[in-house]
Amino acid sequence: MGERSKPDVLIVGAGHNGLVAACYLARAGLKVQVLERNPYIGGAAVSRKLYGDFTYSNCSYVCSLLRPEIMRTLELPRFGLQIIPYDGGCTMMRDGGHLALYDNHDALRREIARHSKRDAEAYDRYARDVIRQCKFIKPLLMREPPDPTSFKPRDIRELLYLGGHFQRLGEARMYDTLRFWTMSAADFLDEYFESEIVKAHMAGSAIIGTALGPRSPGTAYVLLHHYMGDIDDTVGAWGFARGGMGAVTRSLAASLQASGGTIRTSAGVERILVRNGRSVGVALADGEEISARLVLSNMDVKRTFLNTVDSKELPEDFLRQVRNFKIRGSSGKLNIALDGLPSFPAIPVGSPSTRGDMHVTDTIEMMERAYDDWKEGAWSRAPYIDMLIPSQIDPTMAPDGKHYMSVFVQYCPYQLASGPWDAAKRKAFGDTVIDTIAQHSPDFKSLILHAEVRTPFDIENEVGLTEGNIFQGELTFDQLLFNRPIPGYAQYRTPLRGLYLCGSSTHPGGGVMGAPGANAARAVLRDLRLTGT
Amino acid sequence: MVERRAKFDCIVVGGGHNGLACAAYLARAGRSVLVLEAAARLGGAAATREFAPGFRVSAGAHLLHQMPARLIDELQLERHGLRWAAQSMPTAALAAGAAPLLMDGERLDGPATPADVAAYQDFRSQMGRFAAALHPMLDSMPPRLGTDRWSDRLSLLGIGWRIRRLGRRDMRELLRIAGMNAYDLLTEHFSSTLLQGAFGFDAVLGSNFGPRAPGTVMTLLYRMAAQHGAGERGLALPAGGLGAVSDALAAAARAAGAEIRLAALVARVTVTNDRVTGVTLQSGESIAAGAVISSADPKSSLLGLLGPEHLDTSFVRRVHHLRTRGLAAKLHLALDGLPQFGGLPAAAGNARLLIAPGLDYIERAFNHSKYGEYSRAPALELTLPTVSDASLAPAGKHVLSAIVHYAPYELRGGWEQHRDAFVSGIIDTLEQYAPGLRGLVRASELLAPPDIEREFRIRGGHWHHADLALDQFFAVRPVPGATQHRTPLPGYFLCGAGCHPGGGVMGIAGRNAARQVIALADNA
Amino acid sequence: MNEASDVGAHFKQPLLTTPFHERERALSQVDSFVPWAGYTTVDVFTNVGQEYFAVRNACSVYDLTPMVKYRIAGPDASRYLNRLVTRDLRKLKINRVSYCVWCNDAGHIIDDGTVFRLDENEYRLCTAERQLDWFLDSAIGFDVQISEVTEQIAALALQGPTSCAVLNKLGLAGVERLKPFEFGWFDSSGMRIMVSRTGFTGDLGYELWVDPLHAVALWDALMAAGRSRGIRAIGSRALNMVRIEAGFLLPNLDFVSAESSVRLGTSRSPLELGLAWLVDFEKGHFTGRRALLEQHRQGLKRQLVGLDIAGNKPATNALLYTDRSGSKEIGSVTSAVWSPTCKRNIALAMVEAPHFALGSTLWAEVYLSRELVWERRMCRAQVVDKPFFAPERRRVTPPGDY
């Protein structure tokens, strides 16, 4: 396949951000090669056939955050990406009741009104405030955060932009923004809703992927982060990738190849080679060395600098900060092949609710107690789950009449207080989740054909994400904007010339968004003076 | 109904330390001032109370360490009777059945590794630099956000400049840790759980958080910045308890010409043509004034004394949603003898004692409060004021004063049901650190948040009046529309702990409110 | 086993139907329905022109049931409402109605509606959109209960010159004595009907409020009584024409509710909407008062005005300019219609200062389709007084049989 001449850019890791960066660089005319450790590409955006003819989106499972401008510029639809929306969603309650979320505004209002008339209308204020904040943050997503300690014109310009952006809001909305960025989801939701079930349902997205509980300050921001896909007013912004999340990375790979980039799988990078403070290429596990002008790491900041770069090459202060960067495993995942569609007696027959995200945590307290278990180094005895059956919408995910269920689980620690993970503990964790679901679905257990149980430890081993953290680093305010990942190195550049970060450890963070990859590529192109921006 | 026609320039509602400081500054600036205190004695929560025959204790805060030295000098509080029973008190982090860790300024003695000792000194000096840079922010009135006024913009720029002056390295670190949680920061620095716990306790003291909550480094910085202003005196114990501070403030105010009336409960402030023009007492008496300054908490001041009908809906909503539920209780024990805390050197007999052996200990204590339960194993700050000030108890007897974390305002089942079990649990905890203490207890008094609410007229029983959290802090404290000590109504001001910089016996809010009242009158 | 419940199966019928729905469906010839406040309502029954002329020439029936109704009661009800709305309601007597607007803290309008004083401490507030959240938060500190009663009350608007005559024929004795903005209770063949002399047409007319159980009987009785008086059911399209002629505003068309706006700078004050007559600065405090006073002091940057536009093509959504060349944009049309009664091409438009002064000439950019060939026209427009149509009969008491 083509000549083996020296590539301009090597990208370590064929996750979605690595591929996004690769695509942008290849389109700018650079010779790009992506190196992937696994025999398949995709990182945490994969579709895998692990049982029969079932397709598992076995890591990330919904496509809500992928920036539309990236999809458009990289022509992902032309290369096979199709996002299909789903409607509905619900939380089933321990007393047999439920709260459904409907797309139709009036149906939703009357549904919430069953639980609280006031909340039914407060929901509009809540949605308005969320949209206002998303609109405020959106322009920041695709920008490089400024370094507030720098006197460079670009940084000062960006700081002034940020300041002006904020100042324009006026006092009341600045206050709202501050509340969003600093409050706990529980306190925040208390300002809108009175009904426990409504609050519990809304709070779910505030804890997904994070080592915080709904009462921890800063979780309102995580909530917002998950809503970011909702704002583009375009149909199909939120939904399943047809064919599973692997379709995202497959289309990126195809887009890359069409622009002349190449991908090597089963090519695990052992070391990033450094000469005179400059990265000059990589060494693979089998000893092969590939040199290149630039290296972009799609790995998280810890894996990049603590495992792949010789520590002698890095300032001690920087290394200390890398060690202090918080990447915590807090989520597990079950992928389940089902012989048929399980029934959920709490949900009316024919409801769209079961075609969306389903939950079983009906109070904030239950969610917070699930977090308390995690703090003590145990998986939650009554975990928060985000459960979807994509095969109802996407027929390619399972054989006819069968179904694929994706169950995201919060909380599950990377390290158990009781000692290392083993097969028995993994099974016990899986059983906890399955029992939790079975409490709401009497036939669920009898329909299970196969279940893949993934702990943070497994996710780290397979995907390479430190501690299996889905965001490549906690989304707390000490790790956002100019602090992400390391103060002074928030602009995709690193202490080593020629080495860049392009993964979710960088601004604006995790989720299958692609913004870090696109921003990193822009930083590279600017350094190479290949763009005017 | 008596209609009193005397008119004052200023009426200060509430004779707590902030109200008195405000009155003193106003009177010194030549204003005629009337202070109205609902209770029969002054001081609010900064008072000394007799909780058992012959035993007296500081009712709320039991140490003075945040009042700026400059304020004490300006108001000549020492001339007005303030004396010190102890100054520069050390802190001892207690360990059950083991030697405590003694922190005395730069010195760290006790079971700590050399690495921890070095880390302690580094951390102290770094936090000291931050505290020095941040203290002016705490001491002065924050700018108002989103205005076009140059004074506000300059003030913001000034803050940016002070932080920049720290140098790039410190500045980056400050920006990183400002939003962090104490748990992570302290485990980054120290290996000793006792040391982690001691700083962790300071980070959550008086707040509604556990050490894992993001934002708790900010509360730690806040505390250190406040202490920075107190200067050399450090942790100090006024002779006669904290009530002596209020007495000195009252004396200073009176000396400057202020009039103080006790047992004068203000029922509401009077509004004429969209302006506050005075107050009406519960007795029916109306008193007119050019300005009314309330040291009560924001909810009482705005929703109670003033009333929503004079305010806009969103503003009322904001005030209504202020998080004002107290989480700390105060326990007072009358003791027949001095309790013996294991391993505590005699020289440290007057130390502030902490029972917070580790961050997980505090976090677990916090867990209960999230579900409306009191902490089974609470975190405690103890003082034995009688060690330095024998006047507080009969000869040979002692007083133990404890701040207890966590005791939620809304306890499941209600406080009356759990009060005795809670007190007994605290004494059990104390017993582990000072064996034999239980036998010394002759009387006890628990002030749970509902008691604090009732005794000191603070809605929610929160000594900061409103949580110190990032969204209730600095330029947005207590809420937009009521910052910079002003309210939506001309003539009505706030000077209590609900204003920047919050609770703790500082007097800054009172002083800054007085300055604001004067500045606005001068500009009018 | 697994018998699923049907509780909360709102997905089966996202929109509710009003108690008149069966009758309306029977009359609907073009099957044109639109959602309004959670209900299915008729947009057009047969033909917009005929429905329009029923209002101006005879008598029209419009289903008002989706109008959101709140019951506000309690010792502080009067104080509460007076702090909520910009008008002085202290003077509102029992059995009287007041048209009001309410604002947020910034003095921007949230919505308009009508307040009915039912009793000393009991009111009904009718609005186009739901806003319980705002009403409840406005009640912090007031001893007042607020509940939505929309589903408990069916309502019809009977509007047009013959409306009083129809009600008399229905046997509502004394209905002719109702003055504008007055209401009373009447009995007719076992039905208790609340009748208010209010409406959204700017013409003689009434609104009828009954228990939903009597809805169909009322409909049938009205239709029978009105047969000889040209009664006709009308849909929202015809109503929209007459309300523009009458100069009435429609939320989400002429203004966006300040509590639901997302962007900065899109919400408007009552002063800007030309509703200064509804704002009473002397009555004591109300939400938004201080901001409105400030705006009043500074002068208006823009105002909603009536326009008379050349040509006969409604200038819907047209941008407005200072001159024919279209170089300087100064506003936009919010509602527009060709008025068949006035024979004028009229519009409501938000216009920047100083161009909103009465008599100013502006230019409207109108797009015309000539059999799908589109043309851009700059049409001369003049700022004129509202309402565009205000017949004397709307005020006369007792009304004649027009």
Side-chain angles (χ1 to χ4, degrees):
Chain A
M1 270 206 66
E3 23 58 303
R4 279 259 161 145
S5 70
K6 177 174 162 177
D8 295 316
V9 185
L10 285 172
I11 292 182
V12 185
H16 63 277
N17 276 313
L19 292 169
V20 165
C23 285
Y24 277 98
L25 296 176
R27 276 168 186 257
L30 294 170
K31 210 165 141 60
V32 180
Q33 183 164 60
V34 182
L35 302 169
E36 169 58 45
R37 182 181 70 137
N38 283 322
Y40 51 89
I41 64 155
V46 289
S47 306
R48 304 206 54 206
K49 286 204 153 82
L50 298 177
Y51 173 79
D53 212 13
F54 289 82
T55 303
Y56 292 173
S57 286
N58 75 342
C59 292
S60 61
Y61 52 99
V62 288
C63 196
S64 57
L65 302 168
L66 188 59
R67 300 301 311 147
E69 53 266 52
I70 293 174
M71 274 194 261
R72 186 169 171 166
T73 310
L74 303 184
E75 302 175 280
L76 301 187
R78 177 157 88 88
F79 294 106
L81 180 62
Q82 197 182 342
I83 311 280
I84 30 181
Y86 64 82
D87 56 349
C90 64
T91 295
M92 292 174 269
M93 297 158 75
R94 283 170 287 185
D95 67 1
H98 82 291
L99 171 76
L101 269 274
Y102 299 118
D103 269 3
N104 182 281
H105 182 261
D106 293 303
L108 175 60
R109 173 175 50 75
R110 279 169 25 231
E111 170 63 5
I112 299 176
R114 283 200 304 124
H115 301 280
S116 157
K117 284 198 166 70
R118 170 176 212 158
D119 288 0
E121 298 186 29
Y123 181 80
D124 290 341
R125 177 163 57 95
Y126 171 75
R128 173 203 73 183
D129 285 352
V130 168
I131 294 170
R132 280 179 180 175
Q133 289 309 311
C134 288
K135 280 204 185 299
F136 172 73
I137 295 173
K138 194 173 129 183
L140 310 182
L141 293 177
M142 295 293 278
R143 296 178 89 94
E144 196 174 273
D147 178 354
T149 68
S150 149
F151 282 114
K152 282 192 213 128
R154 191 189 153 74
D155 284 307
I156 290 173
R157 201 168 63 230
E158 278 295 306
L159 263 182
L160 287 175
Y161 169 84
L162 270 181
H165 193 59
F166 195 54
Q167 181 80 8
R168 267 192 300 281
L169 291 175
E171 190 182 27
R173 290 211 191 173
M174 279 162 103
Y175 177 56
D176 286 341
T177 300
L178 191 74
R179 286 164 56 234
F180 250 114
W181 282 64
T182 63
M183 279 176 87
S184 77
D187 285 336
F188 187 75
L189 291 165
D190 272 344
E191 296 198 358
Y192 297 88
F193 303 115
E194 61 185 11
S195 144
E196 270 301 322
I197 178 68
V198 174
K199 285 189 267 190
H201 186 91
M202 301 299 162
S205 22
I207 59 160
I208 285 183
T210 183
L212 294 169
R215 292 197 179 279
S216 307
T219 43
Y221 175 79
V222 184
L223 186 112
L224 199 64
H225 193 85
H226 282 103
Y227 275 109
M228 217 68 82
D230 270 355
I231 44 166
D232 294 299
D233 303 331
T234 50
V235 176
W238 237 117
F240 296 119
R242 195 168 197 270
M245 289 303 285
V248 174
T249 42
R250 273 200 305 275
S251 69
L252 282 165
S255 173
L256 173 64
Q257 279 149 357
S259 341
T262 55
I263 302 173
R264 276 178 71 183
T265 52
S266 300
V269 170
E270 187 78 14
R271 298 228 78 68
I272 291 169
L273 302 172
V274 180
R275 202 167 303 138
N276 300 327
R278 182 179 180 91
S279 74
V280 293
V282 302
L284 302 186
D286 62 6
E288 181 188 345
E289 295 197 353
I290 313 174
S291 57
R293 282 170 75 190
L294 304 174
V295 177
L296 270 69
S297 172
N298 186 26
M299 299 182 292
D300 65 66
V301 63
K302 286 198 175 203
R303 203 174 175 90
T304 303
F305 292 106
L306 303 181
N307 297 4
T308 322
V309 174
D310 190 339
S311 60
K312 290 201 301 288
E313 304 291 348
L314 295 165
E316 180 48 40
D317 208 34
F318 178 79
L319 275 173
R320 183 180 56 81
Q321 302 222 54
V322 171
R323 278 186 223 108
N324 286 340
F325 187 69
K326 271 77 195 170
I327 303 189
R328 291 196 174 125
S330 63
S331 325
K333 179 87 194 284
L334 266 66
N335 295 293
I336 302 172
L338 294 167
D339 205 14
L341 200 59
S343 63
F344 295 98
I347 309 296
V349 172
S351 170
S353 296
T354 53
R355 294 203 295 275
D357 47 319
M358 291 181 276
H359 313 270
V360 298
T361 306
D362 58 8
T363 62
I364 297 267
E365 173 170 341
M366 193 176 166
M367 208 176 275
E368 186 70 25
R369 286 190 189 273
Y371 169 58
D372 286 348
D373 288 339
W374 178 88
K375 285 195 296 193
E376 298 293 339
W379 62 79
S380 307
R381 285 162 287 182
Y384 171 81
I385 59 173
D386 186 23
M387 165 170 70
L388 288 142
I389 309 177
S391 49
Q392 295 172 102
I393 310 255
D394 178 355
T396 69
M397 299 299 282
D400 189 26
K402 319 271 187 217
H403 285 282
Y404 158 59
M405 180 191 265
S406 160
V407 188
F408 178 87
V409 189
Q410 198 75 14
Y411 300 80
C412 182
Y414 173 70
Q415 269 178 323
L416 293 170
S418 64
W421 280 101
D422 58 27
K425 285 176 184 164
R426 184 191 296 113
K427 182 174 182 307
F429 165 62
D431 288 347
T432 301
V433 177
I434 288 169
D435 289 343
T436 302
I437 299 169
Q439 284 166 23
H440 299 272
S441 175
D443 55 354
F444 172 65
K445 279 190 186 176
S446 66
L447 293 170
I448 298 176
L449 297 171
H450 170 258
E452 183 202 17
V453 180
R454 293 158 67 86
T455 68
F457 187 73
D458 301 324
I459 296 172
E460 177 181 78
N461 280 338
E462 186 182 312
V463 187
L465 295 167
T466 296
E467 289 209 14
N469 179 298
I470 65 169
F471 296 133
Q472 285 200 352
E474 290 290 318
L475 291 175
T476 46
F477 25 74
D478 52 314
Q479 301 197 150
L480 289 175
L481 283 170
F482 44 76
N483 282 335
R484 190 171 185 91
I486 307 294
Y489 297 99
Q491 298 175 335
Y492 309 94
R493 299 165 184 90
T494 70
L496 299 174
R497 273 174 296 133
L499 178 62
Y500 295 78
L501 291 178
C502 69
S504 297
S505 280
T506 60
H507 171 80
V512 185
M513 192 186 301
N519 292 350
R522 232 180 9 254
V524 168
L525 293 175
R526 201 163 47 242
D527 288 354
L528 296 176
R529 303 189 194 289
L530 287 174
T531 53
T533 53
Chain B
M1 209 175 94
V2 201
E3 187 77 359
R4 222 175 94 149
R5 274 284 150 217
K7 182 173 160 149
F8 290 86
D9 292 332
C10 303
I11 289 176
V12 176
V13 181
H17 66 278
N18 272 317
L20 291 170
C22 184
Y25 276 98
L26 286 169
R28 287 159 55 93
R31 301 299 195 273
S32 62
V33 182
L34 173 66
V35 179
L36 297 168
E37 166 58 46
R41 52 161 183 76
L42 283 172
T48 305
R49 68 197 260 129
E50 184 169 291
F51 68 100
F55 291 85
R56 294 189 306 138
V57 71
S58 300
H62 51 197
L63 289 166
L64 189 72
H65 55 116
Q66 300 187 327
M67 185 171 273
R70 219 173 67 205
L71 189 147
I72 293 175
D73 291 346
E74 278 170 4
L75 295 182
Q76 298 174 294
L77 296 188
E78 290 179 347
R79 220 195 81 199
H80 290 292
L82 182 62
R83 300 280 175 276
W84 305 101
Q87 301 186 52
S88 303
M89 296 157 64
T91 292
L94 303 178
L101 206 54
L102 201 62
M103 290 174 273
D104 194 356
E106 288 288 297
R107 283 189 41 213
L108 180 69
D109 296 316
T113 64
D116 271 337
V117 173
Y120 170 79
Q121 278 151 3
D122 283 352
F123 185 69
R124 255 187 60 94
S125 86
Q126 187 182 51
M127 294 300 266
R129 293 194 299 277
F130 293 163
L134 295 176
H135 180 259
M137 267 172 83
L138 193 104
D139 198 47
S140 56
M141 194 174 72
R144 200 174 151 193
L145 298 177
T147 70
D148 297 332
R149 279 202 304 272
W150 277 105
S151 60
D152 290 326
R153 289 187 179 173
L154 283 174
S155 170
L156 271 174
L157 284 172
I159 293 162
W161 174 241
R162 273 195 297 279
I163 294 175
R164 280 208 78 127
R165 253 193 350 204
L166 284 168
R168 178 172 281 200
R169 199 186 135 98
D170 267 1
M171 176 184 174
R172 279 191 178 143
E173 180 66 359
L174 180 59
L175 290 178
R176 180 181 78 96
I177 70 172
M180 228 173 135
N181 73 50
Y183 192 102
D184 289 339
L185 181 72
L186 297 170
T187 45
E188 277 178 16
H189 283 271
F190 309 120
S191 62
S192 153
T193 53
L194 222 44
L195 195 51
Q196 292 169 356
F199 280 110
F201 185 82
D202 281 354
V204 300
L205 183 60
S207 87
N208 241 316
F209 298 119
R212 279 184 187 266
T216 40
V217 169
M218 194 271 306
T219 40
L220 181 63
L221 282 167
Y222 160 85
R223 184 182 167 90
M224 292 186 155
Q227 279 175 213
H228 177 86
E232 297 296 302
R233 194 168 290 120
L235 294 176
L237 210 58
L242 265 281
V245 178
S246 300
D247 291 344
L249 284 166
R254 282 198 185 100
E259 182 182 335
I260 299 175
R261 278 174 65 184
L262 298 174
L265 175 61
V266 176
R268 59 179 189 277
V269 298
T270 27
V271 177
T272 318
N273 292 329
D274 209 35
R275 196 190 155 87
V276 168
T277 51
V279 301
T280 303
L281 303 187
Q282 200 170 45
S283 63
E285 181 184 353
S286 292
I287 310 173
V292 175
I293 305 106
S294 170
S295 71
D297 65 274
K299 283 184 184 171
S300 298
S301 301
L302 295 165
L303 305 185
L305 295 175
L306 180 60
E309 69 176 304
H310 298 294
L311 299 166
D312 290 348
T313 292
S314 297
F315 178 80
V316 169
R317 173 150 72 194
R318 268 181 231 147
V319 177
H320 180 74
H321 284 307
L322 260 182
R323 297 188 303 284
T324 55
R325 285 191 286 268
L327 217 69
K330 194 75 198 299
L331 179 72
H332 305 139
L333 297 180
L335 302 173
D336 278 332
L338 190 63
Q340 296 304 312
F341 285 91
L344 196 66
N350 70 347
R352 174 176 85 118
L353 308 174
L354 296 181
I355 296 182
L359 293 163
D360 287 325
Y361 179 94
I362 307 172
E363 185 71 24
R364 285 181 193 130
F366 175 62
N367 280 352
H368 292 290
S369 74
K370 295 190 290 191
Y371 312 119
E373 301 158 5
Y374 60 80
S375 305
R376 298 295 184 271
L380 302 164
E381 177 186 87
L382 316 174
T383 56
L384 292 157
T386 40
V387 171
S388 321
D389 185 353
S391 74
L392 294 170
K397 313 286 185 205
H398 283 278
V399 167
L400 183 146
S401 167
I403 296 173
V404 190
H405 261 271
Y406 295 83
Y409 175 73
E410 279 167 343
L411 194 65
R412 267 179 207 173
W415 268 104
E416 284 326 300
Q417 187 187 328
H418 294 292
R419 178 178 294 274
D420 293 343
F422 184 48
V423 171
S424 171
I426 300 166
I427 294 175
D428 285 347
T429 300
L430 289 170
E431 183 76 25
Q432 291 172 37
Y433 295 82
L437 179 138
R438 183 180 281 280
L440 298 173
V441 177
R442 152 195 291 252
S444 73
E445 176 190 54
L446 179 76
L447 295 178
D451 306 316
I452 295 172
E453 175 175 66
R454 195 186 51 248
E455 290 277 329
F456 309 122
R457 300 178 178 280
I458 301 170
R459 271 198 212 185
H462 195 310
W463 86 49
H464 286 298
H465 288 192
D467 272 347
L468 281 180
L470 289 169
D471 62 308
Q472 300 191 159
F473 196 63
F474 193 54
V476 294
R477 185 172 180 87
V479 293
T483 57
Q484 299 190 329
H485 306 283
R486 302 175 70 172
T487 70
L489 269 88
Y492 194 40
F493 298 85
L494 304 179
C495 73
C499 306
H500 176 81
V505 184
M506 296 186 207
I508 295 174
R511 182 198 61 196
N512 290 353
R515 287 181 182 166
Q516 176 72 299
V517 170
I518 293 163
L520 288 172
D522 289 350
N523 289 337
Chain C
M1 186 67 233
N2 299 349
E3 199 178 309
S5 85
D6 223 20
V7 175
H10 304 293
F11 58 91
K12 291 183 178 166
Q13 197 198 0
L15 292 176
L16 301 175
T17 53
T18 77
F20 305 109
H21 185 72
E22 287 312 310
R23 291 291 184 270
E24 289 168 335
R25 191 157 278 284
L27 289 176
S28 168
Q29 293 182 351
V30 295
D31 207 26
S32 173
F33 291 84
V34 288
W36 172 26
Y39 287 86
T40 299
T41 58
V42 177
D43 198 27
V44 184
F45 279 97
T46 50
N47 169 302
V48 180
Q50 289 178 14
E51 290 170 31
Y52 166 86
F53 278 109
V55 184
R56 293 291 182 230
N57 169 56
C59 173
S60 64
V61 175
Y62 180 76
D63 183 356
L64 268 185
T65 308
M67 177 70 74
V68 188
K69 296 151 227 136
Y70 295 97
R71 178 178 182 273
I72 295 170
D76 287 344
S78 299
R79 274 178 60 226
Y80 166 80
L81 278 167
N82 216 42
R83 182 320 198 93
L84 178 77
V85 306
T86 61
R87 233 179 153 173
D88 189 354
L89 286 183
R90 290 173 302 180
K91 302 168 200 153
L92 187 69
K93 299 195 181 79
I94 294 172
N95 284 4
R96 295 285 300 171
V97 186
S98 179
Y99 170 66
C100 296
V101 297
W102 45 99
C103 296
N104 67 2
D105 295 19
H108 293 157
I109 199 162
I110 293 174
D111 205 352
D112 63 352
T114 42
V115 176
F116 294 68
R117 185 163 198 178
L118 301 174
D119 207 337
E120 185 60 31
N121 289 325
E122 186 182 351
Y123 294 82
R124 180 180 300 162
L125 175 53
C126 296
T127 72
E129 305 281 340
R130 284 184 172 74
Q131 38 213 312
L132 188 63
D133 181 54
W134 182 260
F135 292 161
L136 288 176
D137 281 342
S138 296
I140 295 170
F142 292 88
D143 186 358
V144 64
Q145 289 82 49
I146 302 158
S147 51
E148 192 192 323
V149 293
T150 307
E151 289 185 33
Q152 282 122 277
I153 301 163
L156 291 175
L158 184 74
Q159 303 273 312
T162 64
S163 51
C164 184
V166 171
L167 290 179
N168 276 325
K169 191 161 176 188
L170 194 63
L172 305 192
V175 77
E176 68 283 352
R177 286 196 295 274
L178 284 178
K179 298 193 188 94
F181 290 102
E182 191 179 2
F183 67 90
W185 298 85
F186 299 88
D187 291 300
S188 168
S189 42
M191 288 181 279
R192 184 129 177 93
I193 312 171
M194 187 179 108
V195 181
S196 56
R197 190 165 168 192
T198 48
F200 204 48
T201 62
D203 214 313
L204 172 64
Y206 300 85
E207 288 172 334
L208 284 55
W209 316 81
V210 293
D211 187 316
L213 289 173
H214 301 313
V216 172
L218 175 66
W219 178 281
D220 291 345
L222 264 184
M223 287 301 178
R227 193 163 297 132
S228 61
R229 305 277 174 173
I231 200 165
R232 180 187 275 273
I234 67 163
S236 304
R237 291 266 286 282
L239 185 70
N240 189 46
M241 293 174 71
V242 294
R243 72 96 191 166
I244 297 172
E245 289 179 336
F248 293 139
L249 309 184
L250 209 56
N252 295 326
L253 215 56
D254 298 303
F255 64 88
V256 59
S257 167
E259 273 298 281
S260 58
S261 76
V262 168
R263 290 163 198 283
L264 291 166
T266 56
S267 49
R268 302 283 174 253
S269 81
L271 309 181
E272 291 173 323
L273 290 173
L275 300 175
W277 61 281
L278 292 178
V279 181
D280 187 337
F281 288 121
E282 304 305 315
K283 69 161 185 166
H285 186 68
F286 57 87
T287 294
R289 180 180 178 276
R290 292 176 194 117
L292 285 171
L293 209 51
E294 184 60 27
Q295 192 179 63
H296 181 68
R297 277 193 208 109
Q298 291 185 354
L300 294 180
K301 292 198 178 79
R302 60 179 78 80
Q303 196 178 326
L304 190 94
V305 293
L307 292 184
D308 186 337
I309 299 167
N312 61 4
K313 160 83 183 174
T316 308
N317 299 335
L319 292 175
L320 301 168
Y321 302 90
T322 49
D323 59 30
R324 187 170 212 147
S325 69
S327 54
K328 185 165 183 255
E329 203 183 302
I330 49 161
S332 62
V333 168
T334 57
S335 293
V337 73
W338 167 258
S339 166
T341 301
C342 309
K343 302 299 178 208
R344 288 160 90 193
N345 192 20
I346 59 173
L348 300 175
M350 186 56 80
V351 179
E352 286 171 21
H355 310 281
F356 55 67
L358 215 57
S360 304
T361 298
L362 326 170
W363 293 83
E365 183 177 0
V366 180
Y367 291 85
L368 294 176
S369 165
R370 307 273 180 195
E371 292 173 345
L372 299 185
V373 177
W374 285 89
E375 280 177 24
R376 171 172 171 266
R377 280 282 168 81
M378 294 301 270
C379 301
R380 182 189 290 272
Q382 192 155 38
V383 177
V384 295
D385 219 354
K386 295 177 297 175
F388 302 97
F389 178 70
E392 200 45 42
R393 62 181 177 245
R394 78 190 196 281
R395 289 196 208 167
V396 176
T397 309
D401 184 6
Y402 299 103

